[in-house]
Amino acid sequence: MQLRLKLILMATIPVGVALICMGITTRHQTMSLANEERKLVEAAYLHSKETELRHYVELARSTIERIAESSDASDTDLQKKAMHVVARMKFGDDGYFFLYDQHGQLLVNPEQMAVANVDLCDPNTPSGQTQAKLILDMAKAGGGLVRYEWHKPSSQILAPKLGYVLQVPVWNWVVGTGLYLDDVQETLARIDEHAKNNIAATQRRIYLIAALCMVLIASAGVLLNLKDHRISSVKLRRLAQRVVHSQEEERARVARDLHDGVVQVLVSSKFLLETAQLQQQYAAPQDGVAPNGKALDQGLARLNDALTEIRRVSHGLRPALLDDLGLPAALALLSEQMCKGGATHVRFGPCSEAQPIPNTHATALYRVAQEAVKNACTHANACDVLVSLRIDPRSIALVVQDNGQGFDIQRVLADGNRGIGLRNMRERIEALDGQFSISASRLGTRIVATLPLHAEAGNDTALPHSRFDSSYAPA
């Protein structure tokens, strides 16, 4: 695994884990706060309900006591009047009062009550026996709150109910009423739903922040990678240029050594042998036998061959015309030399006047032309090769076109043992921010190498004679 990927993972994983832990903690804390709020709301509601019920029941008990204290009727009539008044008392939509005597029997008739569809807790029926027992037991204990479930008059559904009961000492009655708690449950349900929505919204924000953090970290990694890649590409390009420059300098040094050293020795040796040959020709014969000059002739012939080969190698390493007269002249000489002793006709197209060519550009294009012409003559079995050079103020383009048999570009490049020359040509051109293209078919191969001039012309020393007179090109 790459170091940069490890650093990105080391940065993203802790952030992701921290955000997940933050989300879990936030959810836990929010739920805890929601539960606390729910308990507080429920306690507040129940306290208000309890206070409200106590007031209602005390009001009913005081009403009964005032009726009982009046002396204008018999006790039975007063009790009937009290039962009628209590039956007609109501509050809210579903609020009513109930009365039990000292034996636990219902005293209020549901049909006479102000609230319709009332079902009282009758101890004589199976459905109301348990609730009636709770109410009577609480009243005997001094009164208080009673919780049970009962049918709500307005909806006829079973709902939780909070009742409050008190004793009426004057007749030993039990009076009470109740409030249904379904509205409290709905309020608590809304609180729970609101808490869940808040938790979900908070988690979405946390996940969005996490995603943004991941994107920022990934973007920073990508930018860093691109920046490093760009810097590495620039360094590699400079290194390639230095390598090529070093190769050219070494070739120039070897060419100078061959020309100034070995060639001079061979030339002086040739002069000495020629002098000896002339002296032998004009020497008087001894004993009537003329001296044999065959060995000297063979030595001179071998020496001429050695001089020709060394000059060819010296010019191939670093042609003097490239430094003296410029790229067009060197390409013209290359075309002329490749035509000698071969079946391939190499032509160099005339080149128009243009601005000076940088030394690095001229060297790279010359090497590309050298390799391309050599491949056309050696591997493509071409009969005709055209080398042309197009120069304008912004770029210079070298085109090598042959009529050979062509080749499969992809297969040659995929073969590790072949295509080295093509890769070298491409690398030379791309190292100078140029473009290299090659197309091949049965009709021939076309190589185009283009280099920019506007960016490099001021950074490199141009060849002293880059402009070429077309009259120098071989016919």
Side-chain angles (χ1 to χ4, degrees), residues 306-318 337:
L307 285 171
T308 302
E309 182 65 20
I310 289 176
R311 287 193 178 97
R312 187 189 66 80
V313 172
S314 177
H315 291 163
L317 288 173
R318 182 68 182 180
Q337 290 177 346

Side-chain angles (χ1 to χ4, degrees), residues 85-319:
V85 171
V86 170
R88 302 301 300 175
M89 293 176 65
K90 64 171 291 187
F91 56 92
D93 295 331
D94 299 302
Y96 59 89
F97 292 90
F98 49 83
L99 281 174
Y100 293 92
D101 61 9
Q102 58 184 348
H103 302 293
Q105 300 298 319
L106 275 172
L107 299 177
V108 179
N109 187 358
E111 296 178 357
Q112 299 177 352
M113 301 184 71
V115 180
N117 301 321
V118 174
D119 186 12
L120 296 175
C121 299
D122 192 351
N124 297 320
T125 59
S127 60
Q129 186 176 5
T130 303
Q131 289 80 359
K133 186 177 183 302
L134 290 174
I135 293 171
L136 294 174
D137 291 341
M138 181 58 67
K140 292 177 182 179
L145 295 172
V146 182
R147 279 179 174 268
Y148 57 94
E149 290 187 351
W150 199 245
H151 298 283
K152 191 174 183 179
S154 60
S155 61
Q156 289 298 309
I157 60 173
L158 197 64
K161 188 174 183 179
L162 179 65
Y164 191 85
V165 295
L166 287 175
Q167 280 189 336
V168 183
V170 63
W171 289 324
N172 290 327
W173 284 359
V174 175
V175 63
T177 186
L179 291 173
Y180 291 94
L181 302 178
D182 53 347
D183 56 343
V184 178
Q185 298 297 328
E186 291 176 0
T187 302
L188 296 177
R190 286 195 299 269
I191 292 175
D192 293 339
E193 185 67 22
H194 184 66
K196 291 180 180 179
N197 292 334
N198 287 336
I199 292 173
T202 303
Q203 286 182 333
R204 285 194 296 269
R205 292 189 184 96
I206 291 175
Y207 296 149
L208 179 61
I209 293 172
L212 290 176
C213 290
M214 298 299 179
V215 170
L216 290 176
I217 293 174
S219 301
V222 171
L223 292 176
L224 181 62
N225 192 9
L226 292 176
K227 182 178 179 181
D228 291 346
H229 179 70
R230 191 180 300 109
I231 294 174
S232 300
S233 299
V234 173
K235 290 182 179 179
L236 287 176
R237 189 179 297 111
R238 290 177 180 175
L239 180 60
Q241 292 176 357
R242 290 176 183 175
V243 170
V244 172
H245 185 66
S246 299
Q247 290 177 348
E248 294 300 328
E249 286 184 348
E250 183 64 19
R251 289 183 176 184
R253 186 189 65 81
V254 174
R256 285 195 302 270
D257 291 343
L258 287 175
H259 182 271
D260 298 338
V262 179
V263 171
Q264 300 303 322
V265 173
L266 292 176
V267 169
S268 62
S269 300
K270 179 183 177 183
F271 288 158
L272 291 175
L273 289 174
E274 289 177 347
T275 302
Q277 185 183 33
L278 292 174
Q279 291 177 353
Q280 186 182 22
Q281 289 178 357
Y282 292 105
Q286 297 179 1
D287 300 331
V289 180
N292 188 3
K294 185 177 181 180
L296 287 176
D297 293 339
Q298 291 178 351
L300 285 173
R302 293 291 179 87
L303 192 57
N304 283 325
D305 294 340
L307 285 171
T308 302
E309 182 65 20
I310 289 176
R311 287 193 178 97
R312 187 189 66 80
V313 172
S314 177
H315 291 163
L317 288 173
R318 182 68 182 180

